[in-house]
Amino acid sequence: AQSVTQPDIHITVSEGASLELRCNYSYGATPYLFWYVQSPGQGLQLLLKYFSGDTLVQGIKGFEAEFKRSQSSFNLRKPSVHWSDAAEYFCAVGARGGSYIPTFGRGTSLIVHP
Amino acid sequence: ETGVTQTPRHLVMGMTNKKSLKCEQHLGHNAMYWYKQSAKKPLELMFVYSLEERVENNSVPSRFSPECPNSSHLFLHLHTLQPEDSALYLCASSQELAGGHNEQFFGPGTRLTVL
C-alpha cells in the first residue's frame, strides 16, 4: 500500500518570500500525486496533480511541484507567497492499479507573516 | 449551485440526538466519499460509494450510518454520538472510483460539535 509523509507540521514564511512544502511518498511504482489546499472553514481544493510526463507540474494560484523519482518526493513550491496563501496543504498519493482511494498526508499548516 | 455542497455548515447536538448531514454534488460524478477531519489527525476516510453502492466502510462505528439514494446525494445519519465525534465532516466526489488517479472535489464541510 502507498503512504505519504509531510515532515513539516507548520511552516512560517514572510509575505513575498519563496515557499517549499515537502512531501515524500512510499510506493513501489510511479504513483499519482496530488497537492490540495484547505483554507480556513473550507473543504480541500486541488492545486495540481502529476500523472506522468514532465516532472515539473504547474498548478493554480502560482504553485508548482516537482516529481523526483530518485528521492520519492513531490515538493510544492511558490516563488513569492501572498498573505492569502495561509492555509493547510495536503499531499496525496494514488496507486496505479491498486487501491483506488488516494492516501493523504497529515498536512502542513502555512503561516504567512506580513 | 456548483461543485459539492454540504448542509448544514455547523451542527451542535447532544449525545442522544439524531441528526443527518447532507451532501450534494452537481458535477455528474459517480463516486462519493465521507471523510472525518479532526484537529491534529490525518484525514480519515469513512465511507465510499460508487454508483450508489457502498464499496468501503473503514471500520466506522454503527452510530454513523451513510445513505446514498442516487449518485448526486449522500447523507450521513448520526445517532447517539460521543464527544470525540466532534470534527469537520467532509464530503467529496470524483468522476469514477477506479484507477487511483481521480481528482476529488470536496465540499466545505459540516463542523459538528457533540455536547
Side-chain angles (χ1 to χ4, degrees), chain A residues 32 34 36 38 41-44 46 49 51 90 94-95 100-102 104 106, chain B residues 9 33 35 37 40 42 45 55-56 88 97 99-101 103-104 106-108:
Chain A
Y32 301 112
F34 309 83
Y36 287 84
Q38 183 179 29
Q42 300 299 316
L44 281 69
L46 183 72
K49 58 191 176 186
F51 290 171
F90 294 90
Y100 41 70
I101 309 297
F104 284 83
R106 297 177 74 99
Chain B
R9 293 294 307 275
Y33 314 76
Y35 286 89
Q37 187 178 36
K40 301 181 181 179
L45 179 66
V55 296
E56 186 145 342
L88 182 68
L97 190 58
H101 60 279
E103 172 188 350
Q104 291 177 298
F106 285 81

PDB file of all heavy atoms in Angstrom, chain A residues 32 34 36 38 41-44 46 49 51 90 94-95 100-102 104 106, chain B residues 9 33 35 37 40 42 45 55-56 88 97 99-101 103-104 106-108:
ATOM      1  N   TYR A  32       0.332   8.262  -8.646  1.00  0.00           N
ATOM      2  CA  TYR A  32      -0.338   9.512  -8.958  1.00  0.00           C
ATOM      3  C   TYR A  32      -0.131  10.420  -7.746  1.00  0.00           C
ATOM      4  O   TYR A  32      -0.275   9.985  -6.610  1.00  0.00           O
ATOM      5  CB  TYR A  32      -1.829   9.293  -9.195  1.00  0.00           C
ATOM      6  CG  TYR A  32      -2.149   8.340 -10.316  1.00  0.00           C
ATOM      7  CD1 TYR A  32      -2.735   7.104 -10.067  1.00  0.00           C
ATOM      8  CD2 TYR A  32      -1.872   8.679 -11.638  1.00  0.00           C
ATOM      9  CE1 TYR A  32      -3.035   6.232 -11.090  1.00  0.00           C
ATOM     10  CE2 TYR A  32      -2.165   7.808 -12.668  1.00  0.00           C
ATOM     11  CZ  TYR A  32      -2.743   6.581 -12.392  1.00  0.00           C
ATOM     12  OH  TYR A  32      -3.034   5.722 -13.412  1.00  0.00           O
ATOM     13  N   PHE A  34      -0.804  14.323  -5.841  1.00  0.00           N
ATOM     14  CA  PHE A  34      -1.701  15.469  -5.776  1.00  0.00           C
ATOM     15  C   PHE A  34      -1.255  16.407  -4.649  1.00  0.00           C
ATOM     16  O   PHE A  34      -0.722  15.967  -3.643  1.00  0.00           O
ATOM     17  CB  PHE A  34      -3.140  15.039  -5.447  1.00  0.00           C
ATOM     18  CG  PHE A  34      -3.705  13.950  -6.310  1.00  0.00           C
ATOM     19  CD1 PHE A  34      -3.430  12.618  -6.047  1.00  0.00           C
ATOM     20  CD2 PHE A  34      -4.543  14.259  -7.365  1.00  0.00           C
ATOM     21  CE1 PHE A  34      -3.954  11.603  -6.833  1.00  0.00           C
ATOM     22  CE2 PHE A  34      -5.084  13.254  -8.161  1.00  0.00           C
ATOM     23  CZ  PHE A  34      -4.790  11.926  -7.885  1.00  0.00           C
ATOM     24  N   TYR A  36      -3.349  19.372  -2.435  1.00  0.00           N
ATOM     25  CA  TYR A  36      -4.600  20.058  -2.160  1.00  0.00           C
ATOM     26  C   TYR A  36      -4.341  21.177  -1.155  1.00  0.00           C
ATOM     27  O   TYR A  36      -3.441  21.076  -0.315  1.00  0.00           O
ATOM     28  CB  TYR A  36      -5.635  19.112  -1.547  1.00  0.00           C
ATOM     29  CG  TYR A  36      -6.241  18.103  -2.493  1.00  0.00           C
ATOM     30  CD1 TYR A  36      -5.599  16.900  -2.758  1.00  0.00           C
ATOM     31  CD2 TYR A  36      -7.475  18.344  -3.086  1.00  0.00           C
ATOM     32  CE1 TYR A  36      -6.172  15.964  -3.612  1.00  0.00           C
ATOM     33  CE2 TYR A  36      -8.059  17.410  -3.937  1.00  0.00           C
ATOM     34  CZ  TYR A  36      -7.395  16.231  -4.191  1.00  0.00           C
ATOM     35  OH  TYR A  36      -7.980  15.313  -5.036  1.00  0.00           O
ATOM     36  N   GLN A  38      -6.413  23.687   1.769  1.00  0.00           N
ATOM     37  CA  GLN A  38      -7.640  23.878   2.532  1.00  0.00           C
ATOM     38  C   GLN A  38      -7.559  25.211   3.264  1.00  0.00           C
ATOM     39  O   GLN A  38      -6.785  25.356   4.215  1.00  0.00           O
ATOM     40  CB  GLN A  38      -7.856  22.746   3.536  1.00  0.00           C
ATOM     41  CG  GLN A  38      -9.165  22.854   4.303  1.00  0.00           C
ATOM     42  CD  GLN A  38      -9.362  21.714   5.281  1.00  0.00           C
ATOM     43  OE1 GLN A  38      -8.397  21.149   5.790  1.00  0.00           O
ATOM     44  NE2 GLN A  38     -10.612  21.343   5.534  1.00  0.00           N
ATOM     45  N   GLY A  41     -12.071  27.025   7.260  1.00  0.00           N
ATOM     46  CA  GLY A  41     -13.511  26.887   7.107  1.00  0.00           C
ATOM     47  C   GLY A  41     -13.966  26.347   5.776  1.00  0.00           C
ATOM     48  O   GLY A  41     -15.158  26.359   5.465  1.00  0.00           O
ATOM     49  N   GLN A  42     -13.018  25.853   4.987  1.00  0.00           N
ATOM     50  CA  GLN A  42     -13.363  25.362   3.652  1.00  0.00           C
ATOM     51  C   GLN A  42     -12.965  23.903   3.473  1.00  0.00           C
ATOM     52  O   GLN A  42     -12.235  23.343   4.285  1.00  0.00           O
ATOM     53  CB  GLN A  42     -12.654  26.207   2.589  1.00  0.00           C
ATOM     54  CG  GLN A  42     -13.016  27.678   2.609  1.00  0.00           C
ATOM     55  CD  GLN A  42     -14.485  27.916   2.347  1.00  0.00           C
ATOM     56  OE1 GLN A  42     -15.083  27.312   1.448  1.00  0.00           O
ATOM     57  NE2 GLN A  42     -15.102  28.794   3.120  1.00  0.00           N
ATOM     58  N   GLY A  43     -13.446  23.322   2.385  1.00  0.00           N
ATOM     59  CA  GLY A  43     -13.002  21.987   2.025  1.00  0.00           C
ATOM     60  C   GLY A  43     -11.680  22.054   1.279  1.00  0.00           C
ATOM     61  O   GLY A  43     -11.085  23.114   1.125  1.00  0.00           O
ATOM     62  N   LEU A  44     -11.215  20.912   0.819  1.00  0.00           N
ATOM     63  CA  LEU A  44      -9.944  20.848   0.107  1.00  0.00           C
ATOM     64  C   LEU A  44     -10.151  21.181  -1.367  1.00  0.00           C
ATOM     65  O   LEU A  44     -11.148  20.781  -1.973  1.00  0.00           O
ATOM     66  CB  LEU A  44      -9.340  19.445   0.222  1.00  0.00           C
ATOM     67  CG  LEU A  44      -8.616  19.087   1.517  1.00  0.00           C
ATOM     68  CD1 LEU A  44      -9.574  18.969   2.688  1.00  0.00           C
ATOM     69  CD2 LEU A  44      -7.811  17.803   1.339  1.00  0.00           C
ATOM     70  N   LEU A  46      -8.049  21.146  -5.151  1.00  0.00           N
ATOM     71  CA  LEU A  46      -6.870  20.645  -5.853  1.00  0.00           C
ATOM     72  C   LEU A  46      -6.034  21.799  -6.381  1.00  0.00           C
ATOM     73  O   LEU A  46      -6.532  22.680  -7.068  1.00  0.00           O
ATOM     74  CB  LEU A  46      -7.287  19.744  -7.008  1.00  0.00           C
ATOM     75  CG  LEU A  46      -6.138  19.102  -7.771  1.00  0.00           C
ATOM     76  CD1 LEU A  46      -5.485  18.008  -6.915  1.00  0.00           C
ATOM     77  CD2 LEU A  46      -6.618  18.515  -9.094  1.00  0.00           C
ATOM     78  N   LYS A  49      -1.630  18.237  -9.953  1.00  0.00           N
ATOM     79  CA  LYS A  49      -1.512  16.786  -9.902  1.00  0.00           C
ATOM     80  C   LYS A  49      -0.459  16.336 -10.898  1.00  0.00           C
ATOM     81  O   LYS A  49      -0.181  17.014 -11.896  1.00  0.00           O
ATOM     82  CB  LYS A  49      -2.859  16.127 -10.228  1.00  0.00           C
ATOM     83  CG  LYS A  49      -3.411  16.517 -11.592  1.00  0.00           C
ATOM     84  CD  LYS A  49      -4.851  16.048 -11.750  1.00  0.00           C
ATOM     85  CE  LYS A  49      -5.428  16.534 -13.086  1.00  0.00           C
ATOM     86  NZ  LYS A  49      -6.871  16.223 -13.223  1.00  0.00           N
ATOM     87  N   PHE A  51       0.633  12.872 -13.114  1.00  0.00           N
ATOM     88  CA  PHE A  51       0.329  11.512 -13.526  1.00  0.00           C
ATOM     89  C   PHE A  51       1.516  10.905 -14.265  1.00  0.00           C
ATOM     90  O   PHE A  51       1.889   9.764 -14.008  1.00  0.00           O
ATOM     91  CB  PHE A  51      -0.916  11.484 -14.420  1.00  0.00           C
ATOM     92  CG  PHE A  51      -2.205  11.787 -13.689  1.00  0.00           C
ATOM     93  CD1 PHE A  51      -3.376  11.989 -14.389  1.00  0.00           C
ATOM     94  CD2 PHE A  51      -2.245  11.871 -12.304  1.00  0.00           C
ATOM     95  CE1 PHE A  51      -4.565  12.260 -13.722  1.00  0.00           C
ATOM     96  CE2 PHE A  51      -3.428  12.153 -11.618  1.00  0.00           C
ATOM     97  CZ  PHE A  51      -4.594  12.346 -12.339  1.00  0.00           C
ATOM     98  N   PHE A  90      -2.183  19.742   1.768  1.00  0.00           N
ATOM     99  CA  PHE A  90      -2.167  18.285   1.859  1.00  0.00           C
ATOM    100  C   PHE A  90      -1.586  17.685   0.583  1.00  0.00           C
ATOM    101  O   PHE A  90      -2.012  18.026  -0.519  1.00  0.00           O
ATOM    102  CB  PHE A  90      -3.584  17.734   2.047  1.00  0.00           C
ATOM    103  CG  PHE A  90      -4.213  18.106   3.358  1.00  0.00           C
ATOM    104  CD1 PHE A  90      -4.955  19.264   3.469  1.00  0.00           C
ATOM    105  CD2 PHE A  90      -4.053  17.301   4.476  1.00  0.00           C
ATOM    106  CE1 PHE A  90      -5.545  19.631   4.662  1.00  0.00           C
ATOM    107  CE2 PHE A  90      -4.639  17.654   5.685  1.00  0.00           C
ATOM    108  CZ  PHE A  90      -5.383  18.822   5.785  1.00  0.00           C
ATOM    109  N   GLY A  94      -1.900   8.426  -5.022  1.00  0.00           N
ATOM    110  CA  GLY A  94      -2.805   7.411  -5.533  1.00  0.00           C
ATOM    111  C   GLY A  94      -2.012   6.299  -6.200  1.00  0.00           C
ATOM    112  O   GLY A  94      -1.001   6.570  -6.860  1.00  0.00           O
ATOM    113  N   ALA A  95      -2.456   5.070  -6.027  1.00  0.00           N
ATOM    114  CA  ALA A  95      -1.732   3.916  -6.577  1.00  0.00           C
ATOM    115  C   ALA A  95      -2.259   3.570  -7.955  1.00  0.00           C
ATOM    116  O   ALA A  95      -3.459   3.599  -8.195  1.00  0.00           O
ATOM    117  CB  ALA A  95      -1.887   2.726  -5.643  1.00  0.00           C
ATOM    118  N   TYR A 100      -7.943   2.361  -4.937  1.00  0.00           N
ATOM    119  CA  TYR A 100      -8.459   3.476  -5.724  1.00  0.00           C
ATOM    120  C   TYR A 100      -8.603   4.739  -4.914  1.00  0.00           C
ATOM    121  O   TYR A 100      -8.938   5.771  -5.445  1.00  0.00           O
ATOM    122  CB  TYR A 100      -9.799   3.091  -6.352  1.00  0.00           C
ATOM    123  CG  TYR A 100     -10.703   2.305  -5.413  1.00  0.00           C
ATOM    124  CD1 TYR A 100     -11.284   2.928  -4.318  1.00  0.00           C
ATOM    125  CD2 TYR A 100     -10.933   0.966  -5.611  1.00  0.00           C
ATOM    126  CE1 TYR A 100     -12.092   2.225  -3.454  1.00  0.00           C
ATOM    127  CE2 TYR A 100     -11.739   0.252  -4.744  1.00  0.00           C
ATOM    128  CZ  TYR A 100     -12.325   0.881  -3.670  1.00  0.00           C
ATOM    129  OH  TYR A 100     -13.125   0.174  -2.826  1.00  0.00           O
ATOM    130  N   ILE A 101      -8.374   4.662  -3.635  1.00  0.00           N
ATOM    131  CA  ILE A 101      -8.547   5.820  -2.774  1.00  0.00           C
ATOM    132  C   ILE A 101      -7.187   6.444  -2.532  1.00  0.00           C
ATOM    133  O   ILE A 101      -6.276   5.782  -2.037  1.00  0.00           O
ATOM    134  CB  ILE A 101      -9.162   5.435  -1.423  1.00  0.00           C
ATOM    135  CG1 ILE A 101     -10.417   4.590  -1.630  1.00  0.00           C
ATOM    136  CG2 ILE A 101      -9.440   6.683  -0.603  1.00  0.00           C
ATOM    137  CD1 ILE A 101     -11.526   5.309  -2.339  1.00  0.00           C
ATOM    138  N   PRO A 102      -7.023   7.709  -2.852  1.00  0.00           N
ATOM    139  CA  PRO A 102      -5.749   8.358  -2.559  1.00  0.00           C
ATOM    140  C   PRO A 102      -5.481   8.365  -1.060  1.00  0.00           C
ATOM    141  O   PRO A 102      -6.402   8.446  -0.252  1.00  0.00           O
ATOM    142  CB  PRO A 102      -5.939   9.777  -3.086  1.00  0.00           C
ATOM    143  CG  PRO A 102      -7.061   9.695  -4.053  1.00  0.00           C
ATOM    144  CD  PRO A 102      -7.949   8.608  -3.538  1.00  0.00           C
ATOM    145  N   PHE A 104      -3.839  10.447   1.967  1.00  0.00           N
ATOM    146  CA  PHE A 104      -3.476  11.829   2.273  1.00  0.00           C
ATOM    147  C   PHE A 104      -2.399  11.888   3.346  1.00  0.00           C
ATOM    148  O   PHE A 104      -2.385  11.075   4.284  1.00  0.00           O
ATOM    149  CB  PHE A 104      -4.698  12.600   2.759  1.00  0.00           C
ATOM    150  CG  PHE A 104      -5.652  12.994   1.661  1.00  0.00           C
ATOM    151  CD1 PHE A 104      -6.591  12.099   1.195  1.00  0.00           C
ATOM    152  CD2 PHE A 104      -5.582  14.257   1.090  1.00  0.00           C
ATOM    153  CE1 PHE A 104      -7.469  12.451   0.168  1.00  0.00           C
ATOM    154  CE2 PHE A 104      -6.459  14.623   0.072  1.00  0.00           C
ATOM    155  CZ  PHE A 104      -7.397  13.717  -0.388  1.00  0.00           C
ATOM    156  N   ARG A 106      -0.589  14.172   6.514  1.00  0.00           N
ATOM    157  CA  ARG A 106      -1.197  14.800   7.678  1.00  0.00           C
ATOM    158  C   ARG A 106      -1.406  16.295   7.498  1.00  0.00           C
ATOM    159  O   ARG A 106      -2.069  16.936   8.297  1.00  0.00           O
ATOM    160  CB  ARG A 106      -0.335  14.561   8.904  1.00  0.00           C
ATOM    161  CG  ARG A 106      -0.208  13.101   9.276  1.00  0.00           C
ATOM    162  CD  ARG A 106       0.720  12.915  10.460  1.00  0.00           C
ATOM    163  NE  ARG A 106       0.075  13.349  11.689  1.00  0.00           N
ATOM    164  CZ  ARG A 106      -0.502  12.511  12.561  1.00  0.00           C
ATOM    165  NH1 ARG A 106      -0.500  11.226  12.335  1.00  0.00           N
ATOM    166  NH2 ARG A 106      -1.057  12.966  13.650  1.00  0.00           N
TER     167      ARG A 106
ATOM    168  N   ARG B   9     -23.790  23.723   7.625  1.00  0.00           N
ATOM    169  CA  ARG B   9     -22.372  24.027   7.746  1.00  0.00           C
ATOM    170  C   ARG B   9     -21.890  23.851   9.183  1.00  0.00           C
ATOM    171  O   ARG B   9     -20.724  23.543   9.416  1.00  0.00           O
ATOM    172  CB  ARG B   9     -22.099  25.461   7.286  1.00  0.00           C
ATOM    173  CG  ARG B   9     -22.323  25.694   5.796  1.00  0.00           C
ATOM    174  CD  ARG B   9     -21.311  24.920   4.944  1.00  0.00           C
ATOM    175  NE  ARG B   9     -19.950  25.169   5.335  1.00  0.00           N
ATOM    176  CZ  ARG B   9     -19.210  26.192   4.913  1.00  0.00           C
ATOM    177  NH1 ARG B   9     -19.728  27.047   4.059  1.00  0.00           N
ATOM    178  NH2 ARG B   9     -17.958  26.341   5.319  1.00  0.00           N
ATOM    179  N   TYR B  33     -17.757  10.286  -1.261  1.00  0.00           N
ATOM    180  CA  TYR B  33     -16.971   9.898  -0.092  1.00  0.00           C
ATOM    181  C   TYR B  33     -17.378  10.733   1.129  1.00  0.00           C
ATOM    182  O   TYR B  33     -17.706  11.909   0.991  1.00  0.00           O
ATOM    183  CB  TYR B  33     -15.471  10.166  -0.329  1.00  0.00           C
ATOM    184  CG  TYR B  33     -14.909   9.723  -1.653  1.00  0.00           C
ATOM    185  CD1 TYR B  33     -15.152  10.439  -2.830  1.00  0.00           C
ATOM    186  CD2 TYR B  33     -14.101   8.593  -1.732  1.00  0.00           C
ATOM    187  CE1 TYR B  33     -14.616  10.044  -4.030  1.00  0.00           C
ATOM    188  CE2 TYR B  33     -13.549   8.194  -2.941  1.00  0.00           C
ATOM    189  CZ  TYR B  33     -13.815   8.927  -4.090  1.00  0.00           C
ATOM    190  OH  TYR B  33     -13.278   8.522  -5.288  1.00  0.00           O
ATOM    191  N   TYR B  35     -15.434  11.879   4.678  1.00  0.00           N
ATOM    192  CA  TYR B  35     -14.207  11.931   5.446  1.00  0.00           C
ATOM    193  C   TYR B  35     -14.491  12.611   6.786  1.00  0.00           C
ATOM    194  O   TYR B  35     -15.324  13.508   6.889  1.00  0.00           O
ATOM    195  CB  TYR B  35     -13.134  12.773   4.735  1.00  0.00           C
ATOM    196  CG  TYR B  35     -12.466  12.152   3.548  1.00  0.00           C
ATOM    197  CD1 TYR B  35     -12.994  12.303   2.263  1.00  0.00           C
ATOM    198  CD2 TYR B  35     -11.288  11.431   3.682  1.00  0.00           C
ATOM    199  CE1 TYR B  35     -12.359  11.754   1.161  1.00  0.00           C
ATOM    200  CE2 TYR B  35     -10.635  10.885   2.587  1.00  0.00           C
ATOM    201  CZ  TYR B  35     -11.186  11.053   1.329  1.00  0.00           C
ATOM    202  OH  TYR B  35     -10.554  10.514   0.238  1.00  0.00           O
ATOM    203  N   GLN B  37     -12.411  14.886   9.584  1.00  0.00           N
ATOM    204  CA  GLN B  37     -11.181  15.639   9.808  1.00  0.00           C
ATOM    205  C   GLN B  37     -11.200  16.179  11.238  1.00  0.00           C
ATOM    206  O   GLN B  37     -11.953  17.078  11.576  1.00  0.00           O
ATOM    207  CB  GLN B  37     -11.046  16.790   8.803  1.00  0.00           C
ATOM    208  CG  GLN B  37      -9.707  17.494   8.885  1.00  0.00           C
ATOM    209  CD  GLN B  37      -9.563  18.596   7.844  1.00  0.00           C
ATOM    210  OE1 GLN B  37     -10.514  19.290   7.517  1.00  0.00           O
ATOM    211  NE2 GLN B  37      -8.366  18.751   7.314  1.00  0.00           N
ATOM    212  N   LYS B  40      -5.405  17.936  14.407  1.00  0.00           N
ATOM    213  CA  LYS B  40      -4.119  17.264  14.633  1.00  0.00           C
ATOM    214  C   LYS B  40      -4.136  15.790  14.274  1.00  0.00           C
ATOM    215  O   LYS B  40      -3.309  15.023  14.771  1.00  0.00           O
ATOM    216  CB  LYS B  40      -3.653  17.454  16.081  1.00  0.00           C
ATOM    217  CG  LYS B  40      -3.495  18.924  16.461  1.00  0.00           C
ATOM    218  CD  LYS B  40      -3.010  19.118  17.877  1.00  0.00           C
ATOM    219  CE  LYS B  40      -2.915  20.623  18.171  1.00  0.00           C
ATOM    220  NZ  LYS B  40      -2.487  20.897  19.529  1.00  0.00           N
ATOM    221  N   PRO B  42      -4.741  12.916  10.842  1.00  0.00           N
ATOM    222  CA  PRO B  42      -4.872  12.844   9.379  1.00  0.00           C
ATOM    223  C   PRO B  42      -6.336  12.728   8.966  1.00  0.00           C
ATOM    224  O   PRO B  42      -7.185  12.315   9.760  1.00  0.00           O
ATOM    225  CB  PRO B  42      -4.115  11.557   9.019  1.00  0.00           C
ATOM    226  CG  PRO B  42      -3.305  11.219  10.211  1.00  0.00           C
ATOM    227  CD  PRO B  42      -4.022  11.774  11.388  1.00  0.00           C
ATOM    228  N   LEU B  45     -10.811   8.505   6.023  1.00  0.00           N
ATOM    229  CA  LEU B  45     -11.852   8.080   5.103  1.00  0.00           C
ATOM    230  C   LEU B  45     -12.861   7.238   5.867  1.00  0.00           C
ATOM    231  O   LEU B  45     -12.484   6.283   6.555  1.00  0.00           O
ATOM    232  CB  LEU B  45     -11.241   7.290   3.964  1.00  0.00           C
ATOM    233  CG  LEU B  45     -12.201   6.758   2.915  1.00  0.00           C
ATOM    234  CD1 LEU B  45     -12.839   7.901   2.140  1.00  0.00           C
ATOM    235  CD2 LEU B  45     -11.467   5.815   1.966  1.00  0.00           C
ATOM    236  N   VAL B  55     -18.933   0.815  -1.242  1.00  0.00           N
ATOM    237  CA  VAL B  55     -17.812  -0.059  -1.590  1.00  0.00           C
ATOM    238  C   VAL B  55     -16.748  -0.080  -0.504  1.00  0.00           C
ATOM    239  O   VAL B  55     -15.831  -0.896  -0.559  1.00  0.00           O
ATOM    240  CB  VAL B  55     -17.165   0.352  -2.929  1.00  0.00           C
ATOM    241  CG1 VAL B  55     -18.168   0.175  -4.055  1.00  0.00           C
ATOM    242  CG2 VAL B  55     -16.674   1.783  -2.881  1.00  0.00           C
ATOM    243  N   GLU B  56     -16.849   0.812   0.440  1.00  0.00           N
ATOM    244  CA  GLU B  56     -15.872   0.807   1.521  1.00  0.00           C
ATOM    245  C   GLU B  56     -16.496   1.380   2.790  1.00  0.00           C
ATOM    246  O   GLU B  56     -17.217   2.364   2.738  1.00  0.00           O
ATOM    247  CB  GLU B  56     -14.629   1.618   1.134  1.00  0.00           C
ATOM    248  CG  GLU B  56     -13.497   1.552   2.139  1.00  0.00           C
ATOM    249  CD  GLU B  56     -12.134   1.573   1.485  1.00  0.00           C
ATOM    250  OE1 GLU B  56     -12.033   1.300   0.273  1.00  0.00           O
ATOM    251  OE2 GLU B  56     -11.165   1.867   2.189  1.00  0.00           O
ATOM    252  N   LEU B  88     -14.761  18.056  11.759  1.00  0.00           N
ATOM    253  CA  LEU B  88     -15.254  18.565  10.476  1.00  0.00           C
ATOM    254  C   LEU B  88     -15.508  17.359   9.577  1.00  0.00           C
ATOM    255  O   LEU B  88     -14.613  16.536   9.385  1.00  0.00           O
ATOM    256  CB  LEU B  88     -14.222  19.498   9.843  1.00  0.00           C
ATOM    257  CG  LEU B  88     -14.618  20.152   8.517  1.00  0.00           C
ATOM    258  CD1 LEU B  88     -15.752  21.157   8.741  1.00  0.00           C
ATOM    259  CD2 LEU B  88     -13.426  20.839   7.869  1.00  0.00           C
ATOM    260  N   LEU B  97     -14.375   5.760  -9.649  1.00  0.00           N
ATOM    261  CA  LEU B  97     -13.717   5.268  -8.456  1.00  0.00           C
ATOM    262  C   LEU B  97     -12.397   4.579  -8.781  1.00  0.00           C
ATOM    263  O   LEU B  97     -11.420   4.717  -8.072  1.00  0.00           O
ATOM    264  CB  LEU B  97     -14.639   4.281  -7.755  1.00  0.00           C
ATOM    265  CG  LEU B  97     -14.204   3.849  -6.368  1.00  0.00           C
ATOM    266  CD1 LEU B  97     -14.047   5.032  -5.449  1.00  0.00           C
ATOM    267  CD2 LEU B  97     -15.225   2.882  -5.784  1.00  0.00           C
ATOM    268  N   GLY B  99      -8.841   3.373 -10.435  1.00  0.00           N
ATOM    269  CA  GLY B  99      -7.680   3.915 -11.121  1.00  0.00           C
ATOM    270  C   GLY B  99      -6.697   4.673 -10.275  1.00  0.00           C
ATOM    271  O   GLY B  99      -5.562   4.848 -10.662  1.00  0.00           O
ATOM    272  N   GLY B 100      -7.110   5.188  -9.125  1.00  0.00           N
ATOM    273  CA  GLY B 100      -6.169   5.893  -8.263  1.00  0.00           C
ATOM    274  C   GLY B 100      -5.819   7.278  -8.718  1.00  0.00           C
ATOM    275  O   GLY B 100      -5.100   8.000  -8.031  1.00  0.00           O
ATOM    276  N   HIS B 101      -6.301   7.671  -9.891  1.00  0.00           N
ATOM    277  CA  HIS B 101      -5.897   8.956 -10.433  1.00  0.00           C
ATOM    278  C   HIS B 101      -7.001   9.989 -10.382  1.00  0.00           C
ATOM    279  O   HIS B 101      -6.852  11.075 -10.926  1.00  0.00           O
ATOM    280  CB  HIS B 101      -5.459   8.784 -11.886  1.00  0.00           C
ATOM    281  CG  HIS B 101      -6.548   8.238 -12.771  1.00  0.00           C
ATOM    282  ND1 HIS B 101      -6.856   6.901 -12.835  1.00  0.00           N
ATOM    283  CD2 HIS B 101      -7.422   8.861 -13.594  1.00  0.00           C
ATOM    284  CE1 HIS B 101      -7.849   6.722 -13.683  1.00  0.00           C
ATOM    285  NE2 HIS B 101      -8.215   7.881 -14.158  1.00  0.00           N
ATOM    286  N   GLU B 103      -9.205  12.869  -9.368  1.00  0.00           N
ATOM    287  CA  GLU B 103      -9.219  14.072  -8.562  1.00  0.00           C
ATOM    288  C   GLU B 103     -10.509  14.102  -7.770  1.00  0.00           C
ATOM    289  O   GLU B 103     -11.587  13.833  -8.298  1.00  0.00           O
ATOM    290  CB  GLU B 103      -9.144  15.302  -9.465  1.00  0.00           C
ATOM    291  CG  GLU B 103      -9.345  16.627  -8.762  1.00  0.00           C
ATOM    292  CD  GLU B 103      -9.448  17.768  -9.743  1.00  0.00           C
ATOM    293  OE1 GLU B 103      -9.171  17.567 -10.934  1.00  0.00           O
ATOM    294  OE2 GLU B 103      -9.822  18.877  -9.310  1.00  0.00           O
ATOM    295  N   GLN B 104     -10.399  14.413  -6.499  1.00  0.00           N
ATOM    296  CA  GLN B 104     -11.566  14.517  -5.653  1.00  0.00           C
ATOM    297  C   GLN B 104     -11.954  15.977  -5.491  1.00  0.00           C
ATOM    298  O   GLN B 104     -11.091  16.853  -5.324  1.00  0.00           O
ATOM    299  CB  GLN B 104     -11.298  13.887  -4.283  1.00  0.00           C
ATOM    300  CG  GLN B 104     -11.158  12.374  -4.337  1.00  0.00           C
ATOM    301  CD  GLN B 104     -10.816  11.785  -2.984  1.00  0.00           C
ATOM    302  OE1 GLN B 104      -9.777  12.087  -2.423  1.00  0.00           O
ATOM    303  NE2 GLN B 104     -11.682  10.946  -2.466  1.00  0.00           N
ATOM    304  N   PHE B 106     -14.080  18.478  -3.116  1.00  0.00           N
ATOM    305  CA  PHE B 106     -14.568  18.485  -1.746  1.00  0.00           C
ATOM    306  C   PHE B 106     -15.612  19.574  -1.518  1.00  0.00           C
ATOM    307  O   PHE B 106     -15.531  20.660  -2.096  1.00  0.00           O
ATOM    308  CB  PHE B 106     -13.404  18.715  -0.774  1.00  0.00           C
ATOM    309  CG  PHE B 106     -12.522  17.527  -0.594  1.00  0.00           C
ATOM    310  CD1 PHE B 106     -11.538  17.229  -1.520  1.00  0.00           C
ATOM    311  CD2 PHE B 106     -12.677  16.703   0.515  1.00  0.00           C
ATOM    312  CE1 PHE B 106     -10.717  16.115  -1.357  1.00  0.00           C
ATOM    313  CE2 PHE B 106     -11.860  15.594   0.685  1.00  0.00           C
ATOM    314  CZ  PHE B 106     -10.884  15.298  -0.246  1.00  0.00           C
ATOM    315  N   GLY B 107     -16.539  19.273  -0.636  1.00  0.00           N
ATOM    316  CA  GLY B 107     -17.439  20.293  -0.134  1.00  0.00           C
ATOM    317  C   GLY B 107     -16.787  21.069   0.987  1.00  0.00           C
ATOM    318  O   GLY B 107     -15.680  20.733   1.428  1.00  0.00           O
ATOM    319  N   PRO B 108     -17.463  22.100   1.494  1.00  0.00           N
ATOM    320  CA  PRO B 108     -16.873  22.943   2.547  1.00  0.00           C
ATOM    321  C   PRO B 108     -16.897  22.296   3.922  1.00  0.00           C
ATOM    322  O   PRO B 108     -16.231  22.775   4.836  1.00  0.00           O
ATOM    323  CB  PRO B 108     -17.757  24.190   2.527  1.00  0.00           C
ATOM    324  CG  PRO B 108     -19.077  23.697   2.028  1.00  0.00           C
ATOM    325  CD  PRO B 108     -18.757  22.604   1.047  1.00  0.00           C
TER     326      PRO B 108
END
